[in-house]
Structures are given as structure tokens and as C-alpha cells.
Amino acid sequence: MKRALLVTLSAATVLSGLAAAAPVKLGILPVTVEPNAKLLTLTAEGIRKAFPSAAGRPDVVFVTEDRKVSVAFEWREGKLATNEVEKLVAQFPALIRAQVPNIKSLKANLLQQGGTSWAQFVFTTPGQGDELRRELLMTSLNGRLLVVTVAGNVKDYSRNEAVIKNLTSSVRLN
């Protein structure tokens, strides 16, 4: 998968300095997060290298210090009303299963975070040496779909879980 490219990218050319501990607005996105010093941010050049196709290219990408797990933010043009988020939990797993081969496990939940409803999908697929883990967090933001994708191997995610959860739980929609 494209996100696997993140682990092979040269840090000197694609990463900006350490993320600050204070709330940070994510570029043009009406989103604020509280990253910490254990996360790095891909530069615009790094995002282009990791996601060569403009279709589906995230707007902002954080990576863990070990460059093994990424957290990508993408504000899609597709429409999604606030009252449709709960429907995603029931409907989207079928789409994931149709588009992602060899899914080993798939969990779908509705989360409440910061006063916002999020559809959460966590799935694993076979990988070389370890299973690949993907987590999609989806919500409505100004009538459009905001997707936060956490990607890495199961073991790498487990090692970085506290840092990732702190970041994703700090997401606030402006």
C-alpha cells in the first residue's frame, strides 16, 4: 500500500522539525491537533513523494519518530452530512472488504470525541513478517468527509500506540 512508502523515505528530504506540544492548526484544514515531540511532520514534498497520485493524497501527514507508523489527514471533496456518520459504521465495512484483499480482521465502531461523532474502522491484512494495520477515522466537517488514516504494522503500532492515540484523541474540528 502507498502508506508503506513512508518507512522508506529519507528523513532529510521529507520531514520537518518535531511537532509542537501546543495545539497546532493543520494548514488549510479547519482542524487543530496537539502533536508531541515523538511525531514528525512530512513536508509537502514528502507527501508528494509518499503519495505520487494527486487522487487520495492527504493534506497533512505525521509519522512516528521511528518512521514506522503514519497518521494522514485528508479532507475529501465528497459530501457527508453530520447525521450520516453513524450510517458509515454499518455501510462502509462492505466497501472495505470489496476494495482491500485478504482482510484478516475488521472492526467498526461509532466514537464520540470532542463533541464530534466519528466512524472508526480498524482492519488488518497479511504483511511480510507482520500483519498490516489500518485505522480509518471518518467524520463530517463542514459538509465534507474528513478522513484520518493510521497506517503501520501491528507491532510498530503497538510500540507507538500511546503517541498515536494522544494525537488522534486531540483532534478538534474548527
Side-chain angles (χ1 to χ4, degrees):
M1 297 187 109
K2 293 180 200 175
R3 285 165 180 72
L5 292 173
L6 293 176
V7 297
T8 62
L9 295 173
S10 165
T13 61
V14 298
L15 296 172
S16 65
L18 297 176
V24 174
K25 185 175 180 312
L26 297 184
I28 63 166
L29 300 178
V31 174
T32 303
V33 298
E34 294 180 27
N36 67 47
K38 294 188 183 265
L39 289 169
L40 304 167
T41 307
L42 281 181
T43 63
E45 176 187 349
I47 292 171
R48 281 191 300 278
K49 285 183 179 181
F51 303 89
S53 171
R57 181 180 294 148
D59 300 291
V60 177
V61 179
F62 292 96
V63 294
T64 54
E65 277 183 315
D66 62 6
R67 293 163 186 80
K68 301 287 185 177
V69 182
S70 64
V71 182
F73 291 77
E74 183 183 356
W75 196 24
R76 296 184 181 170
E77 291 295 326
K79 303 293 183 212
L80 181 68
T82 304
N83 64 349
E84 295 174 318
V85 173
E86 189 171 353
K87 294 176 190 173
L88 282 178
V89 175
Q91 297 171 351
F92 205 68
L95 182 62
I96 292 172
R97 288 191 186 283
Q99 292 184 350
V100 179
N102 302 318
I103 287 184
K104 292 185 81 172
S105 68
L106 172 60
K107 296 177 187 171
N109 296 297
L110 182 66
L111 305 176
Q112 293 295 320
Q113 183 173 292
T116 302
S117 293
W118 292 81
Q120 177 195 43
F121 307 96
V122 179
F123 58 96
T124 60
T125 57
Q128 293 182 353
D130 191 11
E131 291 180 355
L132 301 175
R133 181 192 185 278
R134 299 292 180 264
E135 179 176 354
L136 303 174
L137 296 163
M138 303 173 150
T139 195
S140 174
L141 177 58
N142 297 338
R144 291 170 49 189
L145 178 62
L146 176 67
V147 180
V148 179
T149 304
V150 179
N153 290 332
V154 170
K155 289 177 188 168
D156 295 328
Y157 175 81
S158 293
R159 266 195 315 274
N160 291 286
E161 185 173 2
V163 171
I164 299 301
K165 286 189 179 270
N166 284 339
L167 177 69
T168 58
S169 67
S170 77
V171 174
R172 297 296 177 259
L173 308 182
N174 302 329

